[in-house]
Amino acid sequence: MKIVFFDGYCSLCNSLVDWLMRIDKTKELQFASLQGTTASRLLMQATSPLDVDTVIYLRNEVKYERSAAILMVLSDIGGFWRLARFFMLVPKFIRDFIYCFVAKNRYWIFGKRDSCRMPTEDERERLLP
């Protein structure tokens, strides 16, 4: 199981999902909005709400967050993108500092949608509720 959890209202996040769907030729990746029921069921911790500023990648029951999530997703797509894993050598605090800066400013830079994305007919099996 490989699920990418994203902010369904974020234009940047939705563009990332669109792009990942196009380049994931094996169609192993599935996607779920952090505001959806799949995220609530699989990720919700009783003590804290989900942080919509964080992309989460659930890969074979291992949870990756922020920059690690993005790098692992790219690595799993394979081909040229497998080289992204080398960025894991950059210290996490540096990678996540850059990630958090973009995440905190994403609505201002890229905009915000009024609703979560609606899947096309081809995408329905890969977008979880």
Side-chain angles (χ1 to χ4, degrees):
M1 169 174 55
K2 296 177 180 180
I3 304 173
V4 177
F5 294 92
F6 64 100
D7 177 1
Y9 296 106
C10 171
S11 293
L12 174 63
C13 302
N14 280 278
S15 296
L16 174 66
V17 169
D18 292 341
W19 181 72
L20 288 171
M21 282 196 182
R22 278 195 313 274
I23 66 170
D24 178 23
K25 302 301 182 199
T26 62
K27 298 185 186 233
E28 289 182 352
L29 294 177
Q30 293 182 300
F31 303 88
S33 167
L34 286 165
Q35 294 88 351
T37 57
T38 302
S40 295
R41 191 178 80 249
L42 295 178
L43 300 176
M44 187 61 91
Q45 298 174 1
T47 58
S48 63
L50 287 174
D51 179 6
V52 294
D53 287 344
T54 302
V55 169
I56 298 172
Y57 183 40
L58 189 60
R59 177 182 183 249
N60 303 326
E61 299 183 27
V62 176
K63 185 170 85 170
Y64 298 92
E65 297 180 356
R66 297 180 187 85
S67 63
I70 299 296
L71 295 176
M72 291 304 292
V73 167
L74 291 174
S75 177
D76 281 353
I77 286 175
F80 168 80
W81 299 107
R82 187 161 280 152
L83 296 175
R85 198 170 213 161
F86 286 110
F87 284 102
M88 294 292 269
L89 297 173
V90 175
K92 184 179 181 335
F93 76 93
I94 294 172
R95 289 185 285 122
D96 281 350
F97 175 80
I98 295 167
Y99 176 93
C100 288
F101 176 79
V102 173
K104 294 289 183 199
N105 294 291
R106 71 189 186 282
Y107 292 147
W108 180 73
I109 297 169
F110 300 100
K112 184 176 182 178
R113 295 181 175 202
D114 293 330
S115 61
C116 291
R117 75 189 305 281
M118 295 301 295
T120 65
E121 194 66 39
D122 294 335
E123 297 171 340
R124 287 188 202 274
E125 65 186 34
R126 296 179 70 195
L127 270 171
L128 306 172

PDB file of all heavy atoms in Angstrom, residues 90-116:
ATOM      1  N   VAL A  90      20.991  15.103   2.730  1.00  0.00           N
ATOM      2  CA  VAL A  90      20.918  16.451   3.300  1.00  0.00           C
ATOM      3  C   VAL A  90      20.245  16.318   4.664  1.00  0.00           C
ATOM      4  O   VAL A  90      19.242  15.624   4.801  1.00  0.00           O
ATOM      5  CB  VAL A  90      20.097  17.390   2.384  1.00  0.00           C
ATOM      6  CG1 VAL A  90      19.901  18.749   3.025  1.00  0.00           C
ATOM      7  CG2 VAL A  90      20.756  17.511   1.019  1.00  0.00           C
ATOM      8  N   PRO A  91      20.793  16.946   5.690  1.00  0.00           N
ATOM      9  CA  PRO A  91      20.191  16.813   7.023  1.00  0.00           C
ATOM     10  C   PRO A  91      18.701  17.182   7.025  1.00  0.00           C
ATOM     11  O   PRO A  91      18.286  18.141   6.362  1.00  0.00           O
ATOM     12  CB  PRO A  91      21.000  17.796   7.877  1.00  0.00           C
ATOM     13  CG  PRO A  91      22.316  17.904   7.166  1.00  0.00           C
ATOM     14  CD  PRO A  91      21.999  17.770   5.701  1.00  0.00           C
ATOM     15  N   LYS A  92      17.933  16.398   7.758  1.00  0.00           N
ATOM     16  CA  LYS A  92      16.486  16.559   7.811  1.00  0.00           C
ATOM     17  C   LYS A  92      16.073  17.967   8.211  1.00  0.00           C
ATOM     18  O   LYS A  92      15.123  18.518   7.649  1.00  0.00           O
ATOM     19  CB  LYS A  92      15.900  15.529   8.784  1.00  0.00           C
ATOM     20  CG  LYS A  92      14.391  15.523   8.872  1.00  0.00           C
ATOM     21  CD  LYS A  92      13.938  14.447   9.835  1.00  0.00           C
ATOM     22  CE  LYS A  92      12.478  14.280  10.021  1.00  0.00           C
ATOM     23  NZ  LYS A  92      11.595  15.344   9.786  1.00  0.00           N
ATOM     24  N   PHE A  93      16.761  18.584   9.163  1.00  0.00           N
ATOM     25  CA  PHE A  93      16.361  19.915   9.604  1.00  0.00           C
ATOM     26  C   PHE A  93      16.492  20.941   8.476  1.00  0.00           C
ATOM     27  O   PHE A  93      15.710  21.892   8.398  1.00  0.00           O
ATOM     28  CB  PHE A  93      17.119  20.358  10.869  1.00  0.00           C
ATOM     29  CG  PHE A  93      18.536  20.796  10.643  1.00  0.00           C
ATOM     30  CD1 PHE A  93      18.837  22.128  10.421  1.00  0.00           C
ATOM     31  CD2 PHE A  93      19.579  19.867  10.666  1.00  0.00           C
ATOM     32  CE1 PHE A  93      20.147  22.537  10.231  1.00  0.00           C
ATOM     33  CE2 PHE A  93      20.884  20.269  10.474  1.00  0.00           C
ATOM     34  CZ  PHE A  93      21.180  21.606  10.259  1.00  0.00           C
ATOM     35  N   ILE A  94      17.435  20.752   7.572  1.00  0.00           N
ATOM     36  CA  ILE A  94      17.588  21.656   6.434  1.00  0.00           C
ATOM     37  C   ILE A  94      16.478  21.391   5.416  1.00  0.00           C
ATOM     38  O   ILE A  94      15.812  22.323   4.944  1.00  0.00           O
ATOM     39  CB  ILE A  94      18.976  21.511   5.775  1.00  0.00           C
ATOM     40  CG1 ILE A  94      20.064  21.972   6.744  1.00  0.00           C
ATOM     41  CG2 ILE A  94      19.042  22.298   4.461  1.00  0.00           C
ATOM     42  CD1 ILE A  94      21.481  21.695   6.274  1.00  0.00           C
ATOM     43  N   ARG A  95      16.276  20.112   5.067  1.00  0.00           N
ATOM     44  CA  ARG A  95      15.219  19.755   4.115  1.00  0.00           C
ATOM     45  C   ARG A  95      13.855  20.224   4.607  1.00  0.00           C
ATOM     46  O   ARG A  95      13.079  20.806   3.861  1.00  0.00           O
ATOM     47  CB  ARG A  95      15.177  18.237   3.899  1.00  0.00           C
ATOM     48  CG  ARG A  95      16.327  17.678   3.127  1.00  0.00           C
ATOM     49  CD  ARG A  95      16.152  16.190   2.857  1.00  0.00           C
ATOM     50  NE  ARG A  95      16.395  15.396   4.061  1.00  0.00           N
ATOM     51  CZ  ARG A  95      15.520  14.560   4.615  1.00  0.00           C
ATOM     52  NH1 ARG A  95      14.341  14.380   4.093  1.00  0.00           N
ATOM     53  NH2 ARG A  95      15.841  13.894   5.705  1.00  0.00           N
ATOM     54  N   ASP A  96      13.571  19.981   5.874  1.00  0.00           N
ATOM     55  CA  ASP A  96      12.259  20.333   6.415  1.00  0.00           C
ATOM     56  C   ASP A  96      12.092  21.836   6.618  1.00  0.00           C
ATOM     57  O   ASP A  96      10.976  22.343   6.559  1.00  0.00           O
ATOM     58  CB  ASP A  96      11.983  19.572   7.714  1.00  0.00           C
ATOM     59  CG  ASP A  96      11.559  18.141   7.449  1.00  0.00           C
ATOM     60  OD1 ASP A  96      11.295  17.785   6.274  1.00  0.00           O
ATOM     61  OD2 ASP A  96      11.477  17.365   8.421  1.00  0.00           O
ATOM     62  N   PHE A  97      13.177  22.558   6.837  1.00  0.00           N
ATOM     63  CA  PHE A  97      13.097  24.013   6.917  1.00  0.00           C
ATOM     64  C   PHE A  97      12.588  24.568   5.586  1.00  0.00           C
ATOM     65  O   PHE A  97      11.673  25.405   5.551  1.00  0.00           O
ATOM     66  CB  PHE A  97      14.451  24.626   7.277  1.00  0.00           C
ATOM     67  CG  PHE A  97      14.440  26.125   7.263  1.00  0.00           C
ATOM     68  CD1 PHE A  97      13.934  26.832   8.347  1.00  0.00           C
ATOM     69  CD2 PHE A  97      14.904  26.827   6.163  1.00  0.00           C
ATOM     70  CE1 PHE A  97      13.895  28.229   8.328  1.00  0.00           C
ATOM     71  CE2 PHE A  97      14.876  28.216   6.139  1.00  0.00           C
ATOM     72  CZ  PHE A  97      14.373  28.914   7.228  1.00  0.00           C
ATOM     73  N   ILE A  98      13.172  24.105   4.491  1.00  0.00           N
ATOM     74  CA  ILE A  98      12.753  24.552   3.153  1.00  0.00           C
ATOM     75  C   ILE A  98      11.318  24.104   2.885  1.00  0.00           C
ATOM     76  O   ILE A  98      10.487  24.891   2.413  1.00  0.00           O
ATOM     77  CB  ILE A  98      13.722  24.022   2.080  1.00  0.00           C
ATOM     78  CG1 ILE A  98      15.108  24.637   2.286  1.00  0.00           C
ATOM     79  CG2 ILE A  98      13.193  24.302   0.669  1.00  0.00           C
ATOM     80  CD1 ILE A  98      16.219  23.969   1.512  1.00  0.00           C
ATOM     81  N   TYR A  99      11.024  22.847   3.196  1.00  0.00           N
ATOM     82  CA  TYR A  99       9.674  22.319   3.006  1.00  0.00           C
ATOM     83  C   TYR A  99       8.661  23.168   3.775  1.00  0.00           C
ATOM     84  O   TYR A  99       7.620  23.565   3.224  1.00  0.00           O
ATOM     85  CB  TYR A  99       9.601  20.863   3.471  1.00  0.00           C
ATOM     86  CG  TYR A  99       8.207  20.309   3.375  1.00  0.00           C
ATOM     87  CD1 TYR A  99       7.791  19.628   2.244  1.00  0.00           C
ATOM     88  CD2 TYR A  99       7.287  20.508   4.404  1.00  0.00           C
ATOM     89  CE1 TYR A  99       6.496  19.154   2.134  1.00  0.00           C
ATOM     90  CE2 TYR A  99       5.992  20.046   4.301  1.00  0.00           C
ATOM     91  CZ  TYR A  99       5.607  19.362   3.179  1.00  0.00           C
ATOM     92  OH  TYR A  99       4.314  18.908   3.071  1.00  0.00           O
ATOM     93  N   CYS A 100       8.926  23.441   5.039  1.00  0.00           N
ATOM     94  CA  CYS A 100       7.981  24.191   5.880  1.00  0.00           C
ATOM     95  C   CYS A 100       7.801  25.621   5.398  1.00  0.00           C
ATOM     96  O   CYS A 100       6.691  26.166   5.479  1.00  0.00           O
ATOM     97  CB  CYS A 100       8.418  24.153   7.343  1.00  0.00           C
ATOM     98  SG  CYS A 100       8.192  22.534   8.099  1.00  0.00           S
ATOM     99  N   PHE A 101       8.861  26.230   4.897  1.00  0.00           N
ATOM    100  CA  PHE A 101       8.735  27.578   4.347  1.00  0.00           C
ATOM    101  C   PHE A 101       7.750  27.592   3.184  1.00  0.00           C
ATOM    102  O   PHE A 101       6.850  28.431   3.126  1.00  0.00           O
ATOM    103  CB  PHE A 101      10.095  28.122   3.898  1.00  0.00           C
ATOM    104  CG  PHE A 101       9.994  29.468   3.248  1.00  0.00           C
ATOM    105  CD1 PHE A 101       9.868  30.613   4.018  1.00  0.00           C
ATOM    106  CD2 PHE A 101       9.991  29.585   1.868  1.00  0.00           C
ATOM    107  CE1 PHE A 101       9.752  31.862   3.425  1.00  0.00           C
ATOM    108  CE2 PHE A 101       9.866  30.828   1.268  1.00  0.00           C
ATOM    109  CZ  PHE A 101       9.742  31.972   2.047  1.00  0.00           C
ATOM    110  N   VAL A 102       7.906  26.654   2.261  1.00  0.00           N
ATOM    111  CA  VAL A 102       6.983  26.569   1.126  1.00  0.00           C
ATOM    112  C   VAL A 102       5.577  26.221   1.607  1.00  0.00           C
ATOM    113  O   VAL A 102       4.597  26.838   1.186  1.00  0.00           O
ATOM    114  CB  VAL A 102       7.479  25.532   0.085  1.00  0.00           C
ATOM    115  CG1 VAL A 102       6.437  25.310  -1.004  1.00  0.00           C
ATOM    116  CG2 VAL A 102       8.802  25.984  -0.530  1.00  0.00           C
ATOM    117  N   ALA A 103       5.460  25.269   2.523  1.00  0.00           N
ATOM    118  CA  ALA A 103       4.150  24.837   3.017  1.00  0.00           C
ATOM    119  C   ALA A 103       3.393  25.980   3.696  1.00  0.00           C
ATOM    120  O   ALA A 103       2.186  26.142   3.493  1.00  0.00           O
ATOM    121  CB  ALA A 103       4.312  23.665   3.977  1.00  0.00           C
ATOM    122  N   LYS A 104       4.078  26.763   4.489  1.00  0.00           N
ATOM    123  CA  LYS A 104       3.426  27.865   5.206  1.00  0.00           C
ATOM    124  C   LYS A 104       2.971  28.985   4.275  1.00  0.00           C
ATOM    125  O   LYS A 104       2.045  29.725   4.585  1.00  0.00           O
ATOM    126  CB  LYS A 104       4.356  28.458   6.275  1.00  0.00           C
ATOM    127  CG  LYS A 104       4.669  27.508   7.391  1.00  0.00           C
ATOM    128  CD  LYS A 104       3.470  27.286   8.278  1.00  0.00           C
ATOM    129  CE  LYS A 104       3.864  26.366   9.425  1.00  0.00           C
ATOM    130  NZ  LYS A 104       2.729  25.754  10.070  1.00  0.00           N
ATOM    131  N   ASN A 105       3.619  29.113   3.128  1.00  0.00           N
ATOM    132  CA  ASN A 105       3.308  30.199   2.195  1.00  0.00           C
ATOM    133  C   ASN A 105       2.603  29.725   0.924  1.00  0.00           C
ATOM    134  O   ASN A 105       2.390  30.514   0.012  1.00  0.00           O
ATOM    135  CB  ASN A 105       4.604  30.932   1.822  1.00  0.00           C
ATOM    136  CG  ASN A 105       5.198  31.638   3.005  1.00  0.00           C
ATOM    137  OD1 ASN A 105       4.646  32.617   3.497  1.00  0.00           O
ATOM    138  ND2 ASN A 105       6.310  31.126   3.511  1.00  0.00           N
ATOM    139  N   ARG A 106       2.234  28.460   0.863  1.00  0.00           N
ATOM    140  CA  ARG A 106       1.693  27.898  -0.377  1.00  0.00           C
ATOM    141  C   ARG A 106       0.384  28.536  -0.822  1.00  0.00           C
ATOM    142  O   ARG A 106       0.164  28.718  -2.008  1.00  0.00           O
ATOM    143  CB  ARG A 106       1.550  26.382  -0.267  1.00  0.00           C
ATOM    144  CG  ARG A 106       0.442  25.920   0.660  1.00  0.00           C
ATOM    145  CD  ARG A 106       0.526  24.409   0.880  1.00  0.00           C
ATOM    146  NE  ARG A 106      -0.579  23.904   1.649  1.00  0.00           N
ATOM    147  CZ  ARG A 106      -0.716  23.990   2.963  1.00  0.00           C
ATOM    148  NH1 ARG A 106       0.233  24.590   3.676  1.00  0.00           N
ATOM    149  NH2 ARG A 106      -1.759  23.491   3.571  1.00  0.00           N
ATOM    150  N   TYR A 107      -0.514  28.876   0.095  1.00  0.00           N
ATOM    151  CA  TYR A 107      -1.778  29.505  -0.298  1.00  0.00           C
ATOM    152  C   TYR A 107      -1.522  30.891  -0.877  1.00  0.00           C
ATOM    153  O   TYR A 107      -2.152  31.290  -1.848  1.00  0.00           O
ATOM    154  CB  TYR A 107      -2.736  29.627   0.887  1.00  0.00           C
ATOM    155  CG  TYR A 107      -3.269  28.313   1.410  1.00  0.00           C
ATOM    156  CD1 TYR A 107      -3.533  28.158   2.762  1.00  0.00           C
ATOM    157  CD2 TYR A 107      -3.540  27.235   0.577  1.00  0.00           C
ATOM    158  CE1 TYR A 107      -4.049  26.977   3.269  1.00  0.00           C
ATOM    159  CE2 TYR A 107      -4.041  26.048   1.068  1.00  0.00           C
ATOM    160  CZ  TYR A 107      -4.298  25.922   2.416  1.00  0.00           C
ATOM    161  OH  TYR A 107      -4.804  24.761   2.915  1.00  0.00           O
ATOM    162  N   TRP A 108      -0.601  31.623  -0.273  1.00  0.00           N
ATOM    163  CA  TRP A 108      -0.286  32.960  -0.747  1.00  0.00           C
ATOM    164  C   TRP A 108       0.382  32.903  -2.120  1.00  0.00           C
ATOM    165  O   TRP A 108       0.076  33.695  -3.007  1.00  0.00           O
ATOM    166  CB  TRP A 108       0.624  33.658   0.267  1.00  0.00           C
ATOM    167  CG  TRP A 108       1.005  35.044  -0.132  1.00  0.00           C
ATOM    168  CD1 TRP A 108       0.214  36.152  -0.129  1.00  0.00           C
ATOM    169  CD2 TRP A 108       2.276  35.459  -0.624  1.00  0.00           C
ATOM    170  NE1 TRP A 108       0.922  37.246  -0.579  1.00  0.00           N
ATOM    171  CE2 TRP A 108       2.187  36.847  -0.892  1.00  0.00           C
ATOM    172  CE3 TRP A 108       3.483  34.811  -0.859  1.00  0.00           C
ATOM    173  CZ2 TRP A 108       3.258  37.577  -1.387  1.00  0.00           C
ATOM    174  CZ3 TRP A 108       4.548  35.537  -1.341  1.00  0.00           C
ATOM    175  CH2 TRP A 108       4.432  36.909  -1.601  1.00  0.00           C
ATOM    176  N   ILE A 109       1.305  31.944  -2.317  1.00  0.00           N
ATOM    177  CA  ILE A 109       2.059  31.841  -3.569  1.00  0.00           C
ATOM    178  C   ILE A 109       1.225  31.188  -4.676  1.00  0.00           C
ATOM    179  O   ILE A 109       1.163  31.681  -5.798  1.00  0.00           O
ATOM    180  CB  ILE A 109       3.365  31.034  -3.364  1.00  0.00           C
ATOM    181  CG1 ILE A 109       4.281  31.768  -2.381  1.00  0.00           C
ATOM    182  CG2 ILE A 109       4.086  30.818  -4.691  1.00  0.00           C
ATOM    183  CD1 ILE A 109       5.470  30.946  -1.911  1.00  0.00           C
ATOM    184  N   PHE A 110       0.580  30.059  -4.363  1.00  0.00           N
ATOM    185  CA  PHE A 110      -0.071  29.244  -5.387  1.00  0.00           C
ATOM    186  C   PHE A 110      -1.596  29.325  -5.377  1.00  0.00           C
ATOM    187  O   PHE A 110      -2.246  28.848  -6.296  1.00  0.00           O
ATOM    188  CB  PHE A 110       0.348  27.778  -5.226  1.00  0.00           C
ATOM    189  CG  PHE A 110       1.819  27.569  -5.366  1.00  0.00           C
ATOM    190  CD1 PHE A 110       2.622  27.433  -4.244  1.00  0.00           C
ATOM    191  CD2 PHE A 110       2.416  27.536  -6.610  1.00  0.00           C
ATOM    192  CE1 PHE A 110       3.995  27.250  -4.362  1.00  0.00           C
ATOM    193  CE2 PHE A 110       3.786  27.357  -6.745  1.00  0.00           C
ATOM    194  CZ  PHE A 110       4.576  27.216  -5.613  1.00  0.00           C
ATOM    195  N   GLY A 111      -2.180  29.869  -4.318  1.00  0.00           N
ATOM    196  CA  GLY A 111      -3.628  29.981  -4.240  1.00  0.00           C
ATOM    197  C   GLY A 111      -4.261  28.820  -3.498  1.00  0.00           C
ATOM    198  O   GLY A 111      -3.605  27.855  -3.116  1.00  0.00           O
ATOM    199  N   LYS A 112      -5.567  28.965  -3.297  1.00  0.00           N
ATOM    200  CA  LYS A 112      -6.331  27.971  -2.553  1.00  0.00           C
ATOM    201  C   LYS A 112      -7.622  27.700  -3.310  1.00  0.00           C
ATOM    202  O   LYS A 112      -8.247  28.618  -3.832  1.00  0.00           O
ATOM    203  CB  LYS A 112      -6.635  28.506  -1.148  1.00  0.00           C
ATOM    204  CG  LYS A 112      -7.327  27.545  -0.247  1.00  0.00           C
ATOM    205  CD  LYS A 112      -7.485  28.144   1.154  1.00  0.00           C
ATOM    206  CE  LYS A 112      -8.148  27.147   2.078  1.00  0.00           C
ATOM    207  NZ  LYS A 112      -8.286  27.656   3.446  1.00  0.00           N
ATOM    208  N   ARG A 113      -8.017  26.447  -3.346  1.00  0.00           N
ATOM    209  CA  ARG A 113      -9.265  26.064  -4.001  1.00  0.00           C
ATOM    210  C   ARG A 113     -10.426  26.178  -3.026  1.00  0.00           C
ATOM    211  O   ARG A 113     -10.241  26.103  -1.818  1.00  0.00           O
ATOM    212  CB  ARG A 113      -9.171  24.620  -4.503  1.00  0.00           C
ATOM    213  CG  ARG A 113      -8.126  24.449  -5.581  1.00  0.00           C
ATOM    214  CD  ARG A 113      -8.079  23.033  -6.058  1.00  0.00           C
ATOM    215  NE  ARG A 113      -7.156  22.911  -7.160  1.00  0.00           N
ATOM    216  CZ  ARG A 113      -7.180  21.940  -8.043  1.00  0.00           C
ATOM    217  NH1 ARG A 113      -8.070  20.983  -7.938  1.00  0.00           N
ATOM    218  NH2 ARG A 113      -6.320  21.904  -9.021  1.00  0.00           N
ATOM    219  N   ASP A 114     -11.609  26.317  -3.575  1.00  0.00           N
ATOM    220  CA  ASP A 114     -12.806  26.385  -2.741  1.00  0.00           C
ATOM    221  C   ASP A 114     -13.281  25.009  -2.294  1.00  0.00           C
ATOM    222  O   ASP A 114     -14.050  24.891  -1.349  1.00  0.00           O
ATOM    223  CB  ASP A 114     -13.948  27.073  -3.498  1.00  0.00           C
ATOM    224  CG  ASP A 114     -13.640  28.545  -3.759  1.00  0.00           C
ATOM    225  OD1 ASP A 114     -12.925  29.152  -2.937  1.00  0.00           O
ATOM    226  OD2 ASP A 114     -14.111  29.073  -4.776  1.00  0.00           O
ATOM    227  N   SER A 115     -12.809  23.976  -2.994  1.00  0.00           N
ATOM    228  CA  SER A 115     -13.222  22.610  -2.654  1.00  0.00           C
ATOM    229  C   SER A 115     -12.103  21.649  -3.026  1.00  0.00           C
ATOM    230  O   SER A 115     -11.182  22.002  -3.761  1.00  0.00           O
ATOM    231  CB  SER A 115     -14.498  22.228  -3.397  1.00  0.00           C
ATOM    232  OG  SER A 115     -14.271  22.268  -4.794  1.00  0.00           O
ATOM    233  N   CYS A 116     -12.197  20.434  -2.508  1.00  0.00           N
ATOM    234  CA  CYS A 116     -11.221  19.401  -2.854  1.00  0.00           C
ATOM    235  C   CYS A 116     -11.385  19.019  -4.317  1.00  0.00           C
ATOM    236  O   CYS A 116     -12.458  19.177  -4.898  1.00  0.00           O
ATOM    237  CB  CYS A 116     -11.402  18.177  -1.961  1.00  0.00           C
ATOM    238  SG  CYS A 116     -10.952  18.465  -0.246  1.00  0.00           S
TER     239      CYS A 116
END
